[in-house]
Amino acid sequence: MAFGFRSDRARDEEARRAVDARVADAMPAGMRIAAAWSWRILVIAGVLALIVFLVIQLRYIVVPLMVAMLLAALLVPFSNWLQRHRWPKWLAIAVSEVGVLAVIGGLVWLTVRTVMSGYPALQEQTLERWEELKAWLLESPLHLSEADIQNWADQFIEALQADSSSLWTGALSVSSGLGHFLAGFLLVLFATLFILIDGRGIWHWIVRIFPRKARAALIGGGEAGWITLSTFVRVQVLVAFIDAVGIGLGAFILGLFYNGFPLVVPIAILVFLGSFIPVVGAVVSGALAVFIALVFMGPWQAFVMLLIVIGVQQLEGHVLQPFLVGNAVKVHPLAVVIVVAAGGFLAGIPGALFAVPLVATLNAMIVYMARGDWRVNPHPSVADVVPPTRGRIVRD
């Protein structure tokens, strides 16, 4: 009886397989391939959507942790260098973290001080330049009325507010309230400290939750990603410094002073900070430098300032980016623009800031694991992850 039941079940299974085979034969090959790709793409898209949703919901934790990762990527090589020169580990870590706090605090203090000192003059000069522009337009052959000029100015302000609302909404949502800011600041300090103390051990602890066969690839991929992130952060600091010095030196030569107030300092700081946001930061900081020159000195000086900004940005785009950043970020420039725009749309200023280092790190990890390098080289070095590219942004 049991044999007959198994025979019936086997016959039903064979019949079902025969029906499936006939259906598969009747389906065009292109449709079968498209269906196979479609469900896999849907699964990947669903996982990515879930990750983005969780990141947005946990942004008060995720953003400080990512800031800590960037700081640690900058400080770990310095701390290791101090330890190789026979500094005690605790002293090297303390000097690294206190030093970066002192530098950041000094930049913030200098920025706030210079902006507060120069804001009244900037406001006054802006109003004077606006009145001069209105008078020129009224007397020009365009035959504009004051109502037309005011209407265009209102439309421009509304459009500017609408375009910048997404960026500022993301920024304000991350730091809304003194409590959130202090909590995030403390989380950044503690996370950076523990990464400096035992970052490798933390990563090995995370890897333990994965299957044993996958751990070697994940450990090597994590080290490849960390090398890429460290290289990117150091190079980005260097590029930002060169941009700030170049544009600041141009402003100094141009004589950007107002009543003894040095406009060079806020311009250089704005350029330095803006350079950490690829593409968008350079455009915005350069536009602010030209605007300050226009308000305080006039149109001809603003035109010269524009030429200086364009020259420095061309130097960055054609020399610094290919030879320096191109070694650290194996991502096409078009992909950089897309990920920065997507990051800014999803998470405002933090999204635009973290988009490129995140994509570069994930790209290095995936490429290292997909090539199988972890089988013969489980602990990659800088030469393995960041080979010379002879000035190319994308490695062939």
Side-chain angles (χ1 to χ4, degrees):
M1 188 69 179
F3 178 77
F5 174 73
R6 286 196 296 270
S7 299
D8 293 340
R9 186 169 62 181
R11 284 196 299 271
D12 293 341
E13 183 67 21
E14 291 178 358
R16 185 183 66 79
R17 290 178 180 177
V19 172
D20 292 342
R22 289 196 297 271
V23 172
D25 292 337
M27 189 72 64
M31 183 64 70
R32 292 198 299 270
I33 295 174
W37 274 99
S38 298
W39 73 261
R40 289 173 172 84
I41 292 174
L42 287 175
V43 171
I44 295 174
V47 172
L48 292 178
L50 178 61
I51 293 174
V52 172
F53 173 78
L54 292 176
V55 168
I56 293 175
Q57 295 299 315
L58 301 175
R59 59 187 179 274
Y60 298 118
I61 299 176
V62 173
V63 171
L65 287 178
M66 296 187 74
V67 173
M69 290 290 291
L70 293 179
L71 290 177
L74 179 65
L75 296 179
V76 165
F78 178 68
S79 175
N80 292 339
W81 180 82
L82 292 178
Q83 294 177 47
R84 287 196 301 270
H85 286 73
R86 299 183 180 181
W87 285 51
K89 183 176 181 179
W90 67 269
L91 183 58
I93 293 174
V95 169
S96 301
E97 184 145 0
V98 173
V100 75
L101 286 177
V103 171
I104 294 175
L107 285 177
V108 171
W109 175 81
L110 189 58
T111 303
V112 172
R113 180 176 177 274
T114 52
V115 168
M116 291 182 63
S117 301
Y119 180 76
L122 178 62
Q123 185 179 24
E124 179 183 353
Q125 287 295 109
T126 303
L127 293 176
E128 290 182 6
R129 295 299 181 188
W130 169 243
E131 293 299 329
E132 293 177 2
L133 177 61
K134 281 204 307 183
W136 181 82
L137 290 174
L138 291 173
E139 298 174 359
S140 67
L142 299 176
H143 302 291
L144 298 176
S145 64
E146 190 166 352
D148 295 333
I149 298 174
Q150 189 62 41
N151 185 29
W152 288 353
D154 294 339
Q155 291 178 1
F156 174 76
I157 294 175
E158 291 177 1
L160 185 63
Q161 291 175 348
D163 292 338
S164 60
S165 61
S166 59
L167 292 177
W168 289 116
T169 299
L172 293 175
S173 64
V174 173
S175 58
S176 58
L178 183 60
H180 288 153
F181 175 78
L182 292 177
F185 179 73
L186 292 176
L187 183 57
V188 168
L189 291 182
F190 280 107
T192 305
L193 178 63
F194 284 113
I195 294 174
L196 287 172
I197 293 174
D198 192 23
R200 188 182 299 272
I202 294 173
W203 176 244
H204 286 190
W205 176 79
I206 295 174
V207 169
R208 290 195 192 100
I209 66 177
F210 292 91
R212 187 178 298 275
K213 293 182 179 180
R215 292 177 184 175
L218 287 172
I219 290 175
E223 293 181 7
W226 181 257
I227 291 173
T228 299
L229 182 62
S230 301
T231 306
F232 170 80
V233 172
R234 293 198 303 271
V235 169
Q236 195 62 43
V237 170
L238 177 60
V239 171
F241 178 76
I242 294 175
D243 287 349
V245 170
I247 296 179
L249 183 61
F252 177 79
I253 296 174
L254 197 59
L256 269 177
F257 291 86
Y258 181 77
N259 291 339
F261 175 71
L263 302 176
V264 177
V265 175
I267 288 176
I269 293 177
L270 288 174
V271 172
F272 179 79
L273 297 177
S275 298
F276 287 95
I277 302 178
V279 182
V280 178
V283 174
V284 174
S285 59
L288 286 175
V290 174
F291 174 75
I292 292 175
L294 174 64
V295 169
F296 283 94
M297 302 194 70
W300 286 110
Q301 290 83 351
F303 178 72
V304 175
M305 191 72 233
L306 176 62
L307 294 179
I308 294 173
V309 170
I310 293 176
V312 172
Q313 292 182 357
Q314 289 298 313
L315 174 66
E316 175 190 346
H318 292 88
V319 178
L320 299 180
Q321 291 288 346
F323 285 96
L324 296 179
V325 181
N327 286 341
V329 183
K330 299 298 184 294
V331 181
H332 195 276
L334 178 60
V336 171
V337 175
I338 293 175
V339 298
V340 169
F345 177 77
L346 292 174
I349 293 178
L353 174 63
F354 299 127
V356 175
L358 178 61
V359 170
T361 302
L362 291 177
N363 179 66
M365 295 176 66
I366 293 172
V367 169
Y368 174 85
M369 291 187 290
R371 288 190 312 215
D373 292 350
W374 52 274
R375 294 186 177 92
V376 295
N377 185 18
H379 301 289
S381 63
V382 177
D384 299 323
V385 180
V386 190
T389 57
R390 301 181 185 275
R392 295 172 297 174
I393 295 180
V394 183
R395 183 185 179 188
D396 296 332

